[in-house]
PDB file of all heavy atoms in Angstrom:
ATOM      1  N   ASP S  22      17.702 -27.544 -11.923  1.00 88.00           N
ATOM      2  CA  ASP S  22      16.348 -26.995 -11.883  1.00 88.00           C
ATOM      3  C   ASP S  22      15.442 -27.598 -12.953  1.00 88.00           C
ATOM      4  O   ASP S  22      14.226 -27.615 -12.808  1.00 88.00           O
ATOM      5  CB  ASP S  22      16.390 -25.476 -12.051  1.00 88.00           C
ATOM      6  CG  ASP S  22      16.927 -24.777 -10.813  1.00 88.00           C
ATOM      7  OD1 ASP S  22      17.006 -25.416  -9.743  1.00 88.00           O
ATOM      8  OD2 ASP S  22      17.272 -23.585 -10.912  1.00 88.00           O
ATOM      9  N   LEU S  23      16.036 -28.070 -14.045  1.00 91.00           N
ATOM     10  CA  LEU S  23      15.251 -28.656 -15.136  1.00 91.00           C
ATOM     11  C   LEU S  23      15.548 -30.143 -15.317  1.00 91.00           C
ATOM     12  O   LEU S  23      15.429 -30.675 -16.422  1.00 91.00           O
ATOM     13  CB  LEU S  23      15.516 -27.905 -16.437  1.00 91.00           C
ATOM     14  CG  LEU S  23      15.071 -26.446 -16.481  1.00 91.00           C
ATOM     15  CD1 LEU S  23      15.540 -25.783 -17.765  1.00 91.00           C
ATOM     16  CD2 LEU S  23      13.568 -26.341 -16.330  1.00 91.00           C
ATOM     17  N   ALA S  24      15.885 -30.827 -14.242  1.00 91.00           N
ATOM     18  CA  ALA S  24      16.257 -32.242 -14.312  1.00 91.00           C
ATOM     19  C   ALA S  24      15.140 -33.120 -14.859  1.00 91.00           C
ATOM     20  O   ALA S  24      15.387 -34.191 -15.390  1.00 91.00           O
ATOM     21  CB  ALA S  24      16.680 -32.743 -12.935  1.00 91.00           C
ATOM     22  N   TYR S  25      13.920 -32.676 -14.748  1.00 91.00           N
ATOM     23  CA  TYR S  25      12.760 -33.433 -15.228  1.00 91.00           C
ATOM     24  C   TYR S  25      12.522 -33.251 -16.724  1.00 91.00           C
ATOM     25  O   TYR S  25      11.723 -33.971 -17.323  1.00 91.00           O
ATOM     26  CB  TYR S  25      11.501 -32.981 -14.480  1.00 91.00           C
ATOM     27  CG  TYR S  25      11.186 -31.526 -14.715  1.00 91.00           C
ATOM     28  CD1 TYR S  25      10.371 -31.133 -15.776  1.00 91.00           C
ATOM     29  CD2 TYR S  25      11.742 -30.530 -13.908  1.00 91.00           C
ATOM     30  CE1 TYR S  25      10.106 -29.791 -16.005  1.00 91.00           C
ATOM     31  CE2 TYR S  25      11.479 -29.192 -14.129  1.00 91.00           C
ATOM     32  CZ  TYR S  25      10.658 -28.833 -15.183  1.00 91.00           C
ATOM     33  OH  TYR S  25      10.403 -27.504 -15.423  1.00 91.00           O
ATOM     34  N   ALA S  26      13.183 -32.305 -17.358  1.00 94.00           N
ATOM     35  CA  ALA S  26      12.862 -31.899 -18.719  1.00 94.00           C
ATOM     36  C   ALA S  26      13.675 -32.631 -19.782  1.00 94.00           C
ATOM     37  O   ALA S  26      14.884 -32.793 -19.655  1.00 94.00           O
ATOM     38  CB  ALA S  26      13.073 -30.396 -18.877  1.00 94.00           C
ATOM     39  N   LEU S  27      12.976 -33.041 -20.835  1.00 95.00           N
ATOM     40  CA  LEU S  27      13.647 -33.592 -22.002  1.00 95.00           C
ATOM     41  C   LEU S  27      14.136 -32.444 -22.877  1.00 95.00           C
ATOM     42  O   LEU S  27      13.474 -31.415 -22.984  1.00 95.00           O
ATOM     43  CB  LEU S  27      12.678 -34.450 -22.824  1.00 95.00           C
ATOM     44  CG  LEU S  27      12.198 -35.744 -22.188  1.00 95.00           C
ATOM     45  CD1 LEU S  27      11.118 -36.373 -23.053  1.00 95.00           C
ATOM     46  CD2 LEU S  27      13.362 -36.706 -21.991  1.00 95.00           C
ATOM     47  N   GLU S  28      15.284 -32.631 -23.496  1.00 93.00           N
ATOM     48  CA  GLU S  28      15.784 -31.647 -24.453  1.00 93.00           C
ATOM     49  C   GLU S  28      15.175 -31.971 -25.807  1.00 93.00           C
ATOM     50  O   GLU S  28      15.195 -33.115 -26.241  1.00 93.00           O
ATOM     51  CB  GLU S  28      17.304 -31.700 -24.530  1.00 93.00           C
ATOM     52  CG  GLU S  28      17.981 -31.223 -23.260  1.00 93.00           C
ATOM     53  CD  GLU S  28      19.493 -31.198 -23.384  1.00 93.00           C
ATOM     54  OE1 GLU S  28      20.015 -31.293 -24.516  1.00 93.00           O
ATOM     55  OE2 GLU S  28      20.146 -31.091 -22.342  1.00 93.00           O
ATOM     56  N   ALA S  29      14.622 -30.974 -26.452  1.00 84.00           N
ATOM     57  CA  ALA S  29      13.982 -31.178 -27.747  1.00 84.00           C
ATOM     58  C   ALA S  29      14.656 -30.297 -28.785  1.00 84.00           C
ATOM     59  O   ALA S  29      14.704 -29.083 -28.637  1.00 84.00           O
ATOM     60  CB  ALA S  29      12.497 -30.847 -27.666  1.00 84.00           C
ATOM     61  N   GLY S  30      15.162 -30.921 -29.811  1.00 75.00           N
ATOM     62  CA  GLY S  30      15.747 -30.168 -30.909  1.00 75.00           C
ATOM     63  C   GLY S  30      14.665 -29.680 -31.850  1.00 75.00           C
ATOM     64  O   GLY S  30      13.472 -29.860 -31.605  1.00 75.00           O
ATOM     65  N   LYS S  31      15.072 -29.073 -32.914  1.00 74.00           N
ATOM     66  CA  LYS S  31      14.114 -28.606 -33.916  1.00 74.00           C
ATOM     67  C   LYS S  31      13.678 -29.792 -34.768  1.00 74.00           C
ATOM     68  O   LYS S  31      14.377 -30.776 -34.888  1.00 74.00           O
ATOM     69  CB  LYS S  31      14.758 -27.534 -34.788  1.00 74.00           C
ATOM     70  CG  LYS S  31      15.103 -26.281 -34.021  1.00 74.00           C
ATOM     71  CD  LYS S  31      15.743 -25.259 -34.919  1.00 74.00           C
ATOM     72  CE  LYS S  31      16.086 -24.012 -34.102  1.00 74.00           C
ATOM     73  NZ  LYS S  31      16.741 -23.006 -34.905  1.00 74.00           N
ATOM     74  N   GLY S  32      12.528 -29.647 -35.373  1.00 74.00           N
ATOM     75  CA  GLY S  32      12.091 -30.674 -36.305  1.00 74.00           C
ATOM     76  C   GLY S  32      10.865 -31.434 -35.861  1.00 74.00           C
ATOM     77  O   GLY S  32      10.229 -31.113 -34.862  1.00 74.00           O
ATOM     78  N   GLY S  33      10.580 -32.478 -36.608  1.00 84.00           N
ATOM     79  CA  GLY S  33       9.351 -33.223 -36.460  1.00 84.00           C
ATOM     80  C   GLY S  33       9.236 -34.111 -35.251  1.00 84.00           C
ATOM     81  O   GLY S  33       8.179 -34.688 -35.014  1.00 84.00           O
ATOM     82  N   THR S  34      10.291 -34.263 -34.468  1.00 90.00           N
ATOM     83  CA  THR S  34      10.229 -35.163 -33.312  1.00 90.00           C
ATOM     84  C   THR S  34       9.628 -34.490 -32.083  1.00 90.00           C
ATOM     85  O   THR S  34       9.295 -35.168 -31.124  1.00 90.00           O
ATOM     86  CB  THR S  34      11.619 -35.703 -32.947  1.00 90.00           C
ATOM     87  OG1 THR S  34      12.476 -34.611 -32.603  1.00 90.00           O
ATOM     88  CG2 THR S  34      12.226 -36.484 -34.096  1.00 90.00           C
ATOM     89  N   ARG S  35       9.482 -33.193 -32.103  1.00 91.00           N
ATOM     90  CA  ARG S  35       8.981 -32.460 -30.933  1.00 91.00           C
ATOM     91  C   ARG S  35       7.638 -32.956 -30.415  1.00 91.00           C
ATOM     92  O   ARG S  35       7.467 -33.084 -29.210  1.00 91.00           O
ATOM     93  CB  ARG S  35       8.910 -30.975 -31.215  1.00 91.00           C
ATOM     94  CG  ARG S  35      10.218 -30.285 -31.018  1.00 91.00           C
ATOM     95  CD  ARG S  35      10.054 -28.794 -31.145  1.00 91.00           C
ATOM     96  NE  ARG S  35      11.262 -28.144 -30.682  1.00 91.00           N
ATOM     97  CZ  ARG S  35      11.474 -26.872 -30.764  1.00 91.00           C
ATOM     98  NH1 ARG S  35      10.552 -26.083 -31.283  1.00 91.00           N
ATOM     99  NH2 ARG S  35      12.593 -26.347 -30.325  1.00 91.00           N
ATOM    100  N   PRO S  36       6.646 -33.217 -31.270  1.00 91.00           N
ATOM    101  CA  PRO S  36       5.360 -33.692 -30.739  1.00 91.00           C
ATOM    102  C   PRO S  36       5.479 -34.982 -29.926  1.00 91.00           C
ATOM    103  O   PRO S  36       4.813 -35.135 -28.901  1.00 91.00           O
ATOM    104  CB  PRO S  36       4.501 -33.900 -31.991  1.00 91.00           C
ATOM    105  CG  PRO S  36       5.102 -32.993 -33.011  1.00 91.00           C
ATOM    106  CD  PRO S  36       6.573 -32.986 -32.714  1.00 91.00           C
ATOM    107  N   ILE S  37       6.332 -35.879 -30.365  1.00 93.00           N
ATOM    108  CA  ILE S  37       6.524 -37.121 -29.617  1.00 93.00           C
ATOM    109  C   ILE S  37       7.179 -36.820 -28.278  1.00 93.00           C
ATOM    110  O   ILE S  37       6.765 -37.333 -27.229  1.00 93.00           O
ATOM    111  CB  ILE S  37       7.365 -38.125 -30.434  1.00 93.00           C
ATOM    112  CG1 ILE S  37       6.552 -38.598 -31.642  1.00 93.00           C
ATOM    113  CG2 ILE S  37       7.804 -39.309 -29.575  1.00 93.00           C
ATOM    114  CD1 ILE S  37       7.291 -39.480 -32.592  1.00 93.00           C
ATOM    115  N   LEU S  38       8.208 -35.977 -28.280  1.00 94.00           N
ATOM    116  CA  LEU S  38       8.894 -35.631 -27.034  1.00 94.00           C
ATOM    117  C   LEU S  38       7.956 -34.925 -26.056  1.00 94.00           C
ATOM    118  O   LEU S  38       8.002 -35.178 -24.851  1.00 94.00           O
ATOM    119  CB  LEU S  38      10.119 -34.769 -27.333  1.00 94.00           C
ATOM    120  CG  LEU S  38      11.241 -35.463 -28.106  1.00 94.00           C
ATOM    121  CD1 LEU S  38      12.298 -34.459 -28.521  1.00 94.00           C
ATOM    122  CD2 LEU S  38      11.852 -36.582 -27.291  1.00 94.00           C
ATOM    123  N   VAL S  39       7.085 -34.063 -26.561  1.00 93.00           N
ATOM    124  CA  VAL S  39       6.143 -33.341 -25.697  1.00 93.00           C
ATOM    125  C   VAL S  39       5.152 -34.313 -25.059  1.00 93.00           C
ATOM    126  O   VAL S  39       4.840 -34.200 -23.869  1.00 93.00           O
ATOM    127  CB  VAL S  39       5.417 -32.233 -26.492  1.00 93.00           C
ATOM    128  CG1 VAL S  39       4.256 -31.669 -25.716  1.00 93.00           C
ATOM    129  CG2 VAL S  39       6.395 -31.132 -26.856  1.00 93.00           C
ATOM    130  N   ALA S  40       4.663 -35.267 -25.822  1.00 94.00           N
ATOM    131  CA  ALA S  40       3.723 -36.247 -25.275  1.00 94.00           C
ATOM    132  C   ALA S  40       4.379 -37.084 -24.180  1.00 94.00           C
ATOM    133  O   ALA S  40       3.789 -37.316 -23.119  1.00 94.00           O
ATOM    134  CB  ALA S  40       3.189 -37.141 -26.387  1.00 94.00           C
ATOM    135  N   VAL S  41       5.601 -37.519 -24.421  1.00 96.00           N
ATOM    136  CA  VAL S  41       6.324 -38.297 -23.414  1.00 96.00           C
ATOM    137  C   VAL S  41       6.642 -37.417 -22.202  1.00 96.00           C
ATOM    138  O   VAL S  41       6.533 -37.863 -21.050  1.00 96.00           O
ATOM    139  CB  VAL S  41       7.603 -38.917 -24.023  1.00 96.00           C
ATOM    140  CG1 VAL S  41       8.479 -39.555 -22.959  1.00 96.00           C
ATOM    141  CG2 VAL S  41       7.227 -39.932 -25.099  1.00 96.00           C
ATOM    142  N   GLN S  42       6.994 -36.162 -22.440  1.00 96.00           N
ATOM    143  CA  GLN S  42       7.298 -35.228 -21.349  1.00 96.00           C
ATOM    144  C   GLN S  42       6.106 -35.090 -20.397  1.00 96.00           C
ATOM    145  O   GLN S  42       6.273 -35.038 -19.185  1.00 96.00           O
ATOM    146  CB  GLN S  42       7.679 -33.859 -21.909  1.00 96.00           C
ATOM    147  CG  GLN S  42       8.027 -32.831 -20.849  1.00 96.00           C
ATOM    148  CD  GLN S  42       9.339 -33.145 -20.144  1.00 96.00           C
ATOM    149  OE1 GLN S  42      10.396 -32.949 -20.707  1.00 96.00           O
ATOM    150  NE2 GLN S  42       9.268 -33.619 -18.922  1.00 96.00           N
ATOM    151  N   ALA S  43       4.907 -35.032 -20.934  1.00 95.00           N
ATOM    152  CA  ALA S  43       3.714 -34.914 -20.092  1.00 95.00           C
ATOM    153  C   ALA S  43       3.585 -36.107 -19.152  1.00 95.00           C
ATOM    154  O   ALA S  43       3.277 -35.945 -17.957  1.00 95.00           O
ATOM    155  CB  ALA S  43       2.464 -34.782 -20.964  1.00 95.00           C
ATOM    156  N   HIS S  44       3.859 -37.297 -19.653  1.00 95.00           N
ATOM    157  CA  HIS S  44       3.802 -38.502 -18.805  1.00 95.00           C
ATOM    158  C   HIS S  44       4.918 -38.498 -17.764  1.00 95.00           C
ATOM    159  O   HIS S  44       4.715 -38.954 -16.639  1.00 95.00           O
ATOM    160  CB  HIS S  44       3.874 -39.760 -19.665  1.00 95.00           C
ATOM    161  CG  HIS S  44       2.605 -40.088 -20.372  1.00 95.00           C
ATOM    162  ND1 HIS S  44       1.558 -40.739 -19.755  1.00 95.00           N
ATOM    163  CD2 HIS S  44       2.206 -39.838 -21.634  1.00 95.00           C
ATOM    164  CE1 HIS S  44       0.572 -40.890 -20.620  1.00 95.00           C
ATOM    165  NE2 HIS S  44       0.936 -40.337 -21.765  1.00 95.00           N
ATOM    166  N   ILE S  45       6.081 -37.992 -18.136  1.00 94.00           N
ATOM    167  CA  ILE S  45       7.205 -37.914 -17.190  1.00 94.00           C
ATOM    168  C   ILE S  45       6.844 -37.003 -16.023  1.00 94.00           C
ATOM    169  O   ILE S  45       7.038 -37.357 -14.855  1.00 94.00           O
ATOM    170  CB  ILE S  45       8.491 -37.429 -17.903  1.00 94.00           C
ATOM    171  CG1 ILE S  45       9.022 -38.521 -18.821  1.00 94.00           C
ATOM    172  CG2 ILE S  45       9.550 -36.995 -16.895  1.00 94.00           C
ATOM    173  CD1 ILE S  45      10.139 -38.078 -19.744  1.00 94.00           C
ATOM    174  N   ILE S  46       6.323 -35.834 -16.324  1.00 91.00           N
ATOM    175  CA  ILE S  46       5.960 -34.886 -15.264  1.00 91.00           C
ATOM    176  C   ILE S  46       4.859 -35.472 -14.381  1.00 91.00           C
ATOM    177  O   ILE S  46       4.917 -35.368 -13.157  1.00 91.00           O
ATOM    178  CB  ILE S  46       5.550 -33.529 -15.864  1.00 91.00           C
ATOM    179  CG1 ILE S  46       6.793 -32.849 -16.461  1.00 91.00           C
ATOM    180  CG2 ILE S  46       4.899 -32.640 -14.818  1.00 91.00           C
ATOM    181  CD1 ILE S  46       6.500 -31.580 -17.228  1.00 91.00           C
ATOM    182  N   SER S  47       3.881 -36.104 -14.986  1.00 90.00           N
ATOM    183  CA  SER S  47       2.801 -36.733 -14.215  1.00 90.00           C
ATOM    184  C   SER S  47       3.364 -37.785 -13.262  1.00 90.00           C
ATOM    185  O   SER S  47       2.991 -37.848 -12.082  1.00 90.00           O
ATOM    186  CB  SER S  47       1.788 -37.358 -15.171  1.00 90.00           C
ATOM    187  OG  SER S  47       0.828 -38.075 -14.458  1.00 90.00           O
ATOM    188  N   TYR S  48       4.261 -38.614 -13.759  1.00 89.00           N
ATOM    189  CA  TYR S  48       4.881 -39.645 -12.916  1.00 89.00           C
ATOM    190  C   TYR S  48       5.670 -39.017 -11.769  1.00 89.00           C
ATOM    191  O   TYR S  48       5.524 -39.420 -10.614  1.00 89.00           O
ATOM    192  CB  TYR S  48       5.795 -40.543 -13.763  1.00 89.00           C
ATOM    193  CG  TYR S  48       6.672 -41.434 -12.925  1.00 89.00           C
ATOM    194  CD1 TYR S  48       6.160 -42.592 -12.346  1.00 89.00           C
ATOM    195  CD2 TYR S  48       8.005 -41.123 -12.692  1.00 89.00           C
ATOM    196  CE1 TYR S  48       6.952 -43.413 -11.567  1.00 89.00           C
ATOM    197  CE2 TYR S  48       8.810 -41.935 -11.916  1.00 89.00           C
ATOM    198  CZ  TYR S  48       8.284 -43.076 -11.350  1.00 89.00           C
ATOM    199  OH  TYR S  48       9.074 -43.883 -10.565  1.00 89.00           O
ATOM    200  N   LEU S  49       6.499 -38.036 -12.082  1.00 88.00           N
ATOM    201  CA  LEU S  49       7.341 -37.423 -11.051  1.00 88.00           C
ATOM    202  C   LEU S  49       6.529 -36.678 -10.003  1.00 88.00           C
ATOM    203  O   LEU S  49       6.892 -36.670  -8.824  1.00 88.00           O
ATOM    204  CB  LEU S  49       8.358 -36.478 -11.700  1.00 88.00           C
ATOM    205  CG  LEU S  49       9.438 -37.144 -12.546  1.00 88.00           C
ATOM    206  CD1 LEU S  49      10.275 -36.095 -13.257  1.00 88.00           C
ATOM    207  CD2 LEU S  49      10.315 -38.063 -11.709  1.00 88.00           C
ATOM    208  N   LEU S  50       5.444 -36.058 -10.393  1.00 84.00           N
ATOM    209  CA  LEU S  50       4.633 -35.292  -9.439  1.00 84.00           C
ATOM    210  C   LEU S  50       3.662 -36.143  -8.637  1.00 84.00           C
ATOM    211  O   LEU S  50       3.466 -35.902  -7.449  1.00 84.00           O
ATOM    212  CB  LEU S  50       3.842 -34.204 -10.175  1.00 84.00           C
ATOM    213  CG  LEU S  50       4.615 -32.983 -10.625  1.00 84.00           C
ATOM    214  CD1 LEU S  50       3.701 -32.045 -11.400  1.00 84.00           C
ATOM    215  CD2 LEU S  50       5.252 -32.261  -9.457  1.00 84.00           C
ATOM    216  N   PHE S  51       3.044 -37.125  -9.270  1.00 83.00           N
ATOM    217  CA  PHE S  51       1.911 -37.782  -8.636  1.00 83.00           C
ATOM    218  C   PHE S  51       2.063 -39.266  -8.364  1.00 83.00           C
ATOM    219  O   PHE S  51       1.293 -39.823  -7.597  1.00 83.00           O
ATOM    220  CB  PHE S  51       0.657 -37.565  -9.490  1.00 83.00           C
ATOM    221  CG  PHE S  51       0.401 -36.110  -9.780  1.00 83.00           C
ATOM    222  CD1 PHE S  51       0.459 -35.634 -11.075  1.00 83.00           C
ATOM    223  CD2 PHE S  51       0.123 -35.213  -8.756  1.00 83.00           C
ATOM    224  CE1 PHE S  51       0.225 -34.291 -11.355  1.00 83.00           C
ATOM    225  CE2 PHE S  51      -0.101 -33.876  -9.026  1.00 83.00           C
ATOM    226  CZ  PHE S  51      -0.051 -33.416 -10.322  1.00 83.00           C
ATOM    227  N   THR S  52       3.024 -39.928  -8.969  1.00 80.00           N
ATOM    228  CA  THR S  52       3.122 -41.378  -8.819  1.00 80.00           C
ATOM    229  C   THR S  52       4.286 -41.804  -7.934  1.00 80.00           C
ATOM    230  O   THR S  52       4.113 -42.637  -7.050  1.00 80.00           O
ATOM    231  CB  THR S  52       3.255 -42.047 -10.200  1.00 80.00           C
ATOM    232  OG1 THR S  52       2.179 -41.622 -11.024  1.00 80.00           O
ATOM    233  CG2 THR S  52       3.227 -43.555 -10.072  1.00 80.00           C
ATOM    234  N   ARG S  53       5.410 -41.245  -8.152  1.00 74.00           N
ATOM    235  CA  ARG S  53       6.618 -41.693  -7.455  1.00 74.00           C
ATOM    236  C   ARG S  53       6.556 -41.332  -5.985  1.00 74.00           C
ATOM    237  O   ARG S  53       6.059 -40.276  -5.599  1.00 74.00           O
ATOM    238  CB  ARG S  53       7.808 -41.104  -8.194  1.00 74.00           C
ATOM    239  CG  ARG S  53       8.895 -40.514  -7.418  1.00 74.00           C
ATOM    240  CD  ARG S  53       9.939 -39.954  -8.349  1.00 74.00           C
ATOM    241  NE  ARG S  53       9.903 -38.520  -8.306  1.00 74.00           N
ATOM    242  CZ  ARG S  53      10.902 -37.792  -7.818  1.00 74.00           C
ATOM    243  NH1 ARG S  53      11.993 -38.350  -7.396  1.00 74.00           N
ATOM    244  NH2 ARG S  53      10.791 -36.491  -7.781  1.00 74.00           N
ATOM    245  N   GLU S  54       7.061 -42.232  -5.158  1.00 72.00           N
ATOM    246  CA  GLU S  54       7.075 -42.035  -3.705  1.00 72.00           C
ATOM    247  C   GLU S  54       8.289 -41.193  -3.301  1.00 72.00           C
ATOM    248  O   GLU S  54       9.420 -41.550  -3.594  1.00 72.00           O
ATOM    249  CB  GLU S  54       7.149 -43.386  -2.992  1.00 72.00           C
ATOM    250  CG  GLU S  54       5.959 -44.284  -3.244  1.00 72.00           C
ATOM    251  CD  GLU S  54       4.696 -43.769  -2.586  1.00 72.00           C
ATOM    252  OE1 GLU S  54       4.789 -43.173  -1.502  1.00 72.00           O
ATOM    253  OE2 GLU S  54       3.610 -43.965  -3.175  1.00 72.00           O
ATOM    254  N   THR S  55       8.035 -40.064  -2.656  1.00 69.00           N
ATOM    255  CA  THR S  55       9.101 -39.205  -2.159  1.00 69.00           C
ATOM    256  C   THR S  55       8.529 -38.279  -1.094  1.00 69.00           C
ATOM    257  O   THR S  55       7.329 -38.048  -1.039  1.00 69.00           O
ATOM    258  CB  THR S  55       9.745 -38.381  -3.299  1.00 69.00           C
ATOM    259  OG1 THR S  55      10.776 -37.562  -2.765  1.00 69.00           O
ATOM    260  CG2 THR S  55       8.731 -37.522  -4.004  1.00 69.00           C
ATOM    261  N   GLU S  56       9.411 -37.768  -0.259  1.00 69.00           N
ATOM    262  CA  GLU S  56       8.977 -36.857   0.802  1.00 69.00           C
ATOM    263  C   GLU S  56       9.062 -35.391   0.374  1.00 69.00           C
ATOM    264  O   GLU S  56       8.699 -34.500   1.130  1.00 69.00           O
ATOM    265  CB  GLU S  56       9.843 -37.071   2.044  1.00 69.00           C
ATOM    266  CG  GLU S  56       9.672 -38.452   2.651  1.00 69.00           C
ATOM    267  CD  GLU S  56      10.598 -38.688   3.829  1.00 69.00           C
ATOM    268  OE1 GLU S  56      11.326 -37.765   4.231  1.00 69.00           O
ATOM    269  OE2 GLU S  56      10.592 -39.814   4.341  1.00 69.00           O
ATOM    270  N   CYS S  57       9.507 -35.132  -0.818  1.00 66.00           N
ATOM    271  CA  CYS S  57       9.691 -33.764  -1.305  1.00 66.00           C
ATOM    272  C   CYS S  57       8.340 -33.131  -1.652  1.00 66.00           C
ATOM    273  O   CYS S  57       7.366 -33.814  -1.945  1.00 66.00           O
ATOM    274  CB  CYS S  57      10.572 -33.760  -2.550  1.00 66.00           C
ATOM    275  SG  CYS S  57      12.214 -34.432  -2.283  1.00 66.00           S
ATOM    276  N   THR S  58       8.322 -31.795  -1.644  1.00 66.00           N
ATOM    277  CA  THR S  58       7.144 -31.068  -2.110  1.00 66.00           C
ATOM    278  C   THR S  58       7.053 -31.217  -3.628  1.00 66.00           C
ATOM    279  O   THR S  58       7.987 -31.698  -4.272  1.00 66.00           O
ATOM    280  CB  THR S  58       7.246 -29.569  -1.765  1.00 66.00           C
ATOM    281  OG1 THR S  58       8.330 -28.999  -2.502  1.00 66.00           O
ATOM    282  CG2 THR S  58       7.414 -29.351  -0.277  1.00 66.00           C
ATOM    283  N   HIS S  59       5.954 -30.770  -4.203  1.00 65.00           N
ATOM    284  CA  HIS S  59       5.743 -30.951  -5.643  1.00 65.00           C
ATOM    285  C   HIS S  59       6.859 -30.342  -6.483  1.00 65.00           C
ATOM    286  O   HIS S  59       7.368 -30.975  -7.397  1.00 65.00           O
ATOM    287  CB  HIS S  59       4.397 -30.372  -6.067  1.00 65.00           C
ATOM    288  CG  HIS S  59       3.253 -31.231  -5.657  1.00 65.00           C
ATOM    289  ND1 HIS S  59       3.125 -32.525  -6.057  1.00 65.00           N
ATOM    290  CD2 HIS S  59       2.187 -30.982  -4.863  1.00 65.00           C
ATOM    291  CE1 HIS S  59       2.042 -33.058  -5.555  1.00 65.00           C
ATOM    292  NE2 HIS S  59       1.444 -32.137  -4.813  1.00 65.00           N
ATOM    293  N   LEU S  60       7.258 -29.112  -6.193  1.00 70.00           N
ATOM    294  CA  LEU S  60       8.321 -28.501  -6.993  1.00 70.00           C
ATOM    295  C   LEU S  60       9.665 -29.168  -6.746  1.00 70.00           C
ATOM    296  O   LEU S  60      10.460 -29.326  -7.674  1.00 70.00           O
ATOM    297  CB  LEU S  60       8.395 -26.997  -6.713  1.00 70.00           C
ATOM    298  CG  LEU S  60       7.212 -26.194  -7.239  1.00 70.00           C
ATOM    299  CD1 LEU S  60       7.358 -24.724  -6.855  1.00 70.00           C
ATOM    300  CD2 LEU S  60       7.079 -26.333  -8.743  1.00 70.00           C
ATOM    301  N   GLU S  61       9.929 -29.561  -5.509  1.00 70.00           N
ATOM    302  CA  GLU S  61      11.180 -30.255  -5.216  1.00 70.00           C
ATOM    303  C   GLU S  61      11.241 -31.604  -5.915  1.00 70.00           C
ATOM    304  O   GLU S  61      12.310 -32.072  -6.286  1.00 70.00           O
ATOM    305  CB  GLU S  61      11.345 -30.451  -3.709  1.00 70.00           C
ATOM    306  CG  GLU S  61      11.624 -29.178  -2.938  1.00 70.00           C
ATOM    307  CD  GLU S  61      11.611 -29.408  -1.431  1.00 70.00           C
ATOM    308  OE1 GLU S  61      10.912 -30.327  -0.966  1.00 70.00           O
ATOM    309  OE2 GLU S  61      12.297 -28.660  -0.729  1.00 70.00           O
ATOM    310  N   ARG S  62      10.075 -32.233  -6.098  1.00 68.00           N
ATOM    311  CA  ARG S  62      10.028 -33.528  -6.780  1.00 68.00           C
ATOM    312  C   ARG S  62      10.593 -33.419  -8.191  1.00 68.00           C
ATOM    313  O   ARG S  62      11.194 -34.348  -8.703  1.00 68.00           O
ATOM    314  CB  ARG S  62       8.591 -34.033  -6.883  1.00 68.00           C
ATOM    315  CG  ARG S  62       8.024 -34.531  -5.612  1.00 68.00           C
ATOM    316  CD  ARG S  62       6.582 -34.968  -5.837  1.00 68.00           C
ATOM    317  NE  ARG S  62       5.984 -35.326  -4.582  1.00 68.00           N
ATOM    318  CZ  ARG S  62       5.262 -36.418  -4.395  1.00 68.00           C
ATOM    319  NH1 ARG S  62       5.027 -37.214  -5.403  1.00 68.00           N
ATOM    320  NH2 ARG S  62       4.759 -36.693  -3.227  1.00 68.00           N
TER     321      ARG S  62
END
C-alpha cells in the first residue's frame, strides 16, 4: 500500500527526502504510462 513512499528516519535528512518524495509521487501519478487509476498507480 505504501510502495511509493520513501522511509525517512529521524534527523536532518528529512527535508531532502520529502522534496524527492514529492517528485516521486508526481512522476507516478502524472508522468508514467499505466492503465491503473490514480490510487492504483
Side-chain angles (χ1 to χ4, degrees):
D22 288 345
L23 295 173
Y25 62 90
L27 292 173
E28 292 184 14
K31 295 180 180 178
T34 61
R35 277 187 168 174
I37 292 175
L38 294 171
V39 168
V41 172
Q42 181 70 75
H44 284 279
I45 289 170
I46 290 173
S47 174
Y48 168 79
L49 292 173
L50 284 177
F51 306 116
T52 306
R53 136 182 109 114
E54 297 290 326
T55 180
E56 295 176 4
C57 300
T58 66
H59 285 301
L60 291 178
E61 290 173 332
R62 286 178 186 226

